[in-house]
Amino acid sequence: MSGRLHIVPTPVGNLEDMTFRAIRTLREADLILAEDTRTSSVLLKHFDIHTPMRSHHRNNEHRDTAHIVEEIEGGMDVALISDAGTPGISDPGFMLARACRDAGLDVECLPGPTAFVPALVASGLPCDRFVFEGFLPLKKGRATRLAQLAEDPRTVIIYESPLRLARTIRQLAEAFGPDRQAAVCREISKLHEEIRRDSLQALADFYAVNQAKGEIVIVIAPAG
């Protein structure tokens, strides 16, 4: 009898965001695939989870996916986690989930933490329709993508690193217009959570002289 792939979200900040179901699933699995075993070992230790763990990240997922599918076909229950949030959302996970589905295997994704959802809702910007872009292209196609998003009638959500934030906000102000409202959401669910909402130009001016820290979500008001 085949096993199953369990996709298990983990807290993006506060460990109290971990669900009872996620803890039980990780305890009952035969194997946990972790983006970074060093990071995940802290989580597993906190919740007294002793399931064997193996690394599964962008550098080895192409090589290892077929073997993992074979293990699940052989009856192994495998749980996939990332460093934080839901695997597959700007983290490894899509490739393995697709391969399991293609092989006719069960894939179960637990509901749980994802940074962009609380950022969107707390921003006060329209959340009835939105587009999640993840990380923008660093070079090729970046200007074209920004121009397309500037005309999108939905709220736009982008992930960004603190080192690139000032440059990205400046480019957004140029592409979307300086008066477009936006929110920079930092360290969601962590001790120093901060949501700064203003026009793109005002945000560009602020981050030109203030270095941001931590994980960042940018939420931009829709066109029109």
Side-chain angles (χ1 to χ4, degrees):
M1 183 176 179
S2 298
R4 175 179 292 186
L5 173 66
H6 306 268
I7 299 174
V8 183
T10 55
V12 297
N14 194 323
L15 289 179
E16 292 180 0
D17 294 337
M18 190 75 167
T19 68
F20 293 120
R21 183 181 173 195
I23 295 170
R24 177 181 58 78
T25 300
L26 292 178
R27 284 176 176 166
E28 294 179 353
D30 298 308
L31 173 68
I32 295 173
L33 298 175
E35 185 178 6
D36 187 326
T37 55
R38 294 165 300 181
T39 299
S40 295
S41 64
V42 177
L43 177 79
L44 300 189
K45 182 178 180 180
H46 181 84
F47 290 107
D48 195 30
I49 298 168
H50 302 285
T51 306
M53 183 168 47
R54 197 164 74 208
S55 63
H56 183 75
H57 46 71
R58 296 198 185 282
N59 293 329
N60 69 5
E61 60 180 344
H62 288 82
R63 182 192 69 205
D64 293 350
T65 291
H67 176 62
I68 296 166
V69 170
E70 290 177 357
E71 290 179 308
I72 297 173
E73 288 176 327
M76 183 177 285
D77 276 336
V78 175
L80 175 67
I81 60 176
S82 61
D83 289 348
T86 301
I89 305 298
S90 292
D91 282 323
F94 161 72
M95 184 177 297
L96 181 57
R98 179 181 62 183
C100 287
R101 283 295 184 190
D102 289 346
L105 298 170
D106 289 337
V107 177
E108 173 189 68
C109 183
L110 278 61
T114 301
F116 77 81
V117 174
L120 169 64
V121 176
S123 72
L125 296 169
C127 53
D128 54 336
R129 298 176 67 227
F130 60 90
V131 55
F132 172 66
E133 283 293 306
F135 289 93
L136 291 170
L138 292 180
K139 294 181 180 179
K140 185 178 180 181
R142 185 180 178 92
T144 300
R145 195 75 195 106
L146 286 172
Q148 293 169 340
L149 292 172
E151 303 300 323
D152 202 302
R154 300 166 293 181
T155 299
V156 176
I157 304 169
I158 295 169
Y159 282 171
E160 190 51 282
S161 77
L163 295 178
R164 295 193 298 262
L165 178 63
R167 169 176 171 263
T168 295
I169 291 291
R170 184 180 70 252
Q171 292 175 336
L172 288 169
E174 294 169 355
F176 287 63
D179 297 328
R180 185 81 68 95
Q181 286 289 301
V184 174
C185 310
R186 189 175 64 83
E187 294 288 79
I188 293 294
S189 187
K190 297 180 182 177
L191 180 63
H192 300 292
E193 178 177 321
E194 176 187 66
I195 297 179
R196 182 176 295 275
R197 178 175 162 180
D198 212 323
S199 69
L200 281 170
Q201 187 59 59
L203 291 170
D205 293 341
F206 178 83
Y207 288 108
V209 295
N210 293 276
Q211 174 65 53
K213 296 181 180 179
E215 302 295 325
I216 293 167
V217 184
I218 305 171
V219 184
I220 312 156

